[in-house]
Amino acid sequence: MQITVHPQYKEKEVLIPQLIDVFFDSGDLIVQGARNTIKSNFLGTEKVNIKFFQKPGLFKSIIYSFFRSTKAKRSFDYANYLLENGIATPFPIAYIEQKNSFGLLQDSYYICQQIDYDFTIRELIHDPLFPERNVILEQFAAFTYKMHEARVNFLDHSPGNTLIVKKGEGQFDFYLIDLNRMKFETLSIEARMDNFKKMWLSKTMVKVIAKKYAALSGESEVKLHQILLEKTKAFKGKITRKKYLKRKLKLMK
């Protein structure tokens, strides 16, 4: 077991192996996915999140062992990059890699601080009357703009991957999660709008975000609205077609 711990948590490093050993037997389940499992548990007296990345197939195991960083390491490294650039994310505590006798990756884990959030963008999508909806969307646009200015292309920028904490009247904090798929590059204005497409925005939401992003970037509001609306429509159409074909194939069986 190879453990890499953030310097601020070095004194708790001895507790981490025990946390991993009991991962499947204790703690509170947060997400049970086909490939990943997320639980919360206590590292000493502090509540933390542990994300388990399931053993990859042989080919990917070779890739992750010798040619590319593991998902756990990327999550840790990307979280540090985000924080260094003033972009909030749950604080990265450690990542763990378990390899076999041939040096091939078996399992890996990422541990970060627990964020007690109030909601995500998903709630705003489903409820047009959500309190302070436009204010939240404007601040979310500003948060994303800051991310883009830091050369972050978050490939999983989707409704559930930004946690939102209400700090007071009209004041909200945003935290990125599920970090292992990012590119670091200078983004054109079209690429920036494309990065919003997975948010599943309504026409009203598109209008609010385009207006705020235009004010921050100095770009034309009309131009951004047109690009963002086109990107959003194309993405929704693609997903809808996929679902339709999937249902059709299922009925044909």
Side-chain angles (χ1 to χ4, degrees):
M1 183 184 294
Q2 180 181 335
I3 302 173
T4 301
V5 182
H6 193 282
Q8 292 188 26
Y9 278 81
K10 205 67 181 174
E11 75 283 357
K12 293 186 177 180
E13 184 172 1
V14 294
L15 302 175
I16 291 175
Q18 181 182 355
L19 201 59
I20 299 305
D21 289 342
V22 301
F23 177 81
F24 294 101
D25 302 316
S26 66
D28 298 322
L29 182 65
I30 297 174
V31 174
Q32 178 65 71
R35 293 173 296 176
N36 308 319
T37 302
I38 304 175
K39 282 188 165 186
S40 65
N41 210 331
F42 285 91
L43 182 65
T45 58
E46 181 181 6
K47 197 170 188 180
V48 299
N49 279 3
I50 310 108
K51 186 171 186 177
F52 165 69
F53 299 95
Q54 200 160 8
K55 177 183 176 181
L58 179 60
F59 176 74
K60 284 192 175 180
S61 182
I62 293 170
I63 296 297
Y64 289 143
S65 299
F66 303 111
F67 302 104
R68 190 182 183 196
S69 297
T70 64
K71 292 180 179 181
K73 184 179 189 302
R74 274 181 276 150
S75 298
F76 183 83
D77 290 343
Y78 294 171
N80 280 297
Y81 179 90
L82 292 174
L83 293 175
E84 287 165 7
N85 285 274
I87 302 161
T89 189
F91 192 89
I93 295 172
Y95 72 92
I96 300 93
E97 298 172 340
Q98 295 179 323
K99 298 182 179 181
N100 63 20
S101 57
F102 298 103
L104 295 179
L105 180 70
Q106 298 296 289
D107 303 325
S108 58
Y109 300 81
Y110 172 59
I111 303 175
C112 65
Q113 288 182 343
Q114 165 86 10
I115 297 293
D116 295 320
Y117 66 98
D118 295 305
F119 52 92
T120 68
I121 296 294
R122 186 176 287 116
E123 285 86 335
L124 276 67
I125 295 169
H126 296 306
D127 184 3
L129 299 178
F130 195 91
E132 300 181 286
R133 188 176 190 241
N134 285 1
V135 174
I136 298 164
L137 289 172
E138 288 174 354
Q139 292 183 22
F140 174 69
F143 175 74
T144 303
Y145 174 76
K146 186 176 184 180
M147 182 179 77
H148 290 161
E149 286 292 285
R151 301 180 69 252
V152 176
N153 185 357
F154 183 28
L155 302 179
D156 284 328
H157 204 31
S158 56
N161 283 345
T162 300
L163 309 181
I164 305 173
V165 177
K166 184 176 174 64
K167 302 298 289 183
E169 194 68 27
Q171 295 180 320
F172 302 89
D173 287 342
F174 302 83
Y175 296 82
L176 287 188
I177 61 169
D178 201 2
L179 307 179
N180 63 80
R181 294 185 67 243
M182 289 185 179
K183 288 183 179 178
F184 300 94
E185 57 191 357
T186 300
L187 295 161
S188 67
I189 198 64
E190 186 153 332
R192 290 176 181 222
M193 294 301 99
D194 187 71
N195 197 215
F196 282 105
K197 69 183 180 185
K198 293 182 180 179
M199 299 306 302
W200 211 262
L201 303 171
S202 68
K203 289 181 180 179
T204 301
M205 297 171 82
V206 165
K207 187 175 182 179
V208 174
I209 287 176
K211 183 177 182 178
K212 182 63 177 181
Y213 205 103
L216 293 167
S217 64
E219 295 282 347
S220 161
E221 181 184 338
V222 174
K223 176 184 174 181
L224 295 194
H225 183 269
Q226 181 181 355
I227 297 172
L228 183 52
L229 193 59
E230 287 176 356
K231 297 287 187 183
T232 299
K233 282 182 177 179
F235 179 75
K236 287 182 178 180
K238 181 181 177 181
I239 298 301
T240 301
R241 286 191 297 274
K242 278 186 176 179
K243 287 182 178 178
Y244 171 76
L245 288 172
K246 193 173 182 179
R247 286 197 300 267
K248 195 171 182 180
L249 289 171
K250 190 175 181 181
L251 290 171
M252 291 171 65
K253 288 183 179 179

